[in-house]
Amino acid sequence: MRKYLFLVLVINLLLLKVFAKASTEDAIILNQELQFLEDSVKNIQSTSQNENFEAEKTNLEKTYFEDDMEEDSVSTKSSTQKRRGL
């Protein structure tokens, strides 16, 4: 009877050790996934902030320089030499 109890106890300890190892590996994988998601969110937020800055800059330009938003165009007319009749 003692042998069976000892055998059951050893098997239970081995199973617990395997389960603990699997849980530890799962926790490591989940932490890595969480880190990846946090980095992705930081990248998206920085991109969004840059886009917001550009939009705000454009709005300010429209507010203060509304007439100047269109590109300037310059037309030149070069004079040519007049023909002289011989």
Side-chain angles (χ1 to χ4, degrees):
M1 187 68 163
R2 286 185 184 176
K3 290 181 184 179
Y4 292 119
L5 280 175
F6 183 72
L7 184 62
V8 169
L9 180 63
V10 169
I11 290 173
N12 282 338
L13 288 175
L14 289 173
L15 289 175
L16 285 175
K17 185 176 180 180
V18 168
F19 179 73
K21 185 175 180 181
S23 296
T24 304
E25 290 173 352
D26 288 343
I28 290 171
I29 291 170
L30 288 174
N31 281 336
Q32 289 175 344
E33 289 177 357
L34 179 63
Q35 185 66 39
F36 173 76
L37 291 173
E38 288 175 348
D39 292 342
S40 298
V41 167
K42 287 178 186 176
N43 289 339
I44 291 170
Q45 286 176 342
S46 66
T47 303
S48 175
Q49 288 174 351
N50 288 341
E51 290 173 357
N52 288 342
F53 176 74
E54 290 297 323
E56 185 176 328
K57 182 179 172 185
T58 304
N59 287 339
L60 286 174
E61 288 177 353
K62 284 181 182 178
T63 301
Y64 293 106
F65 306 106
E66 191 169 324
D67 295 336
D68 296 337
M69 287 301 288
E70 296 177 11
E71 290 187 21
D72 294 335
S73 62
V74 177
S75 62
T76 60
K77 194 173 192 181
S78 61
S79 63
T80 58
Q81 290 183 353
K82 295 182 179 179
R83 291 190 180 180
R84 294 185 184 175
L86 291 175

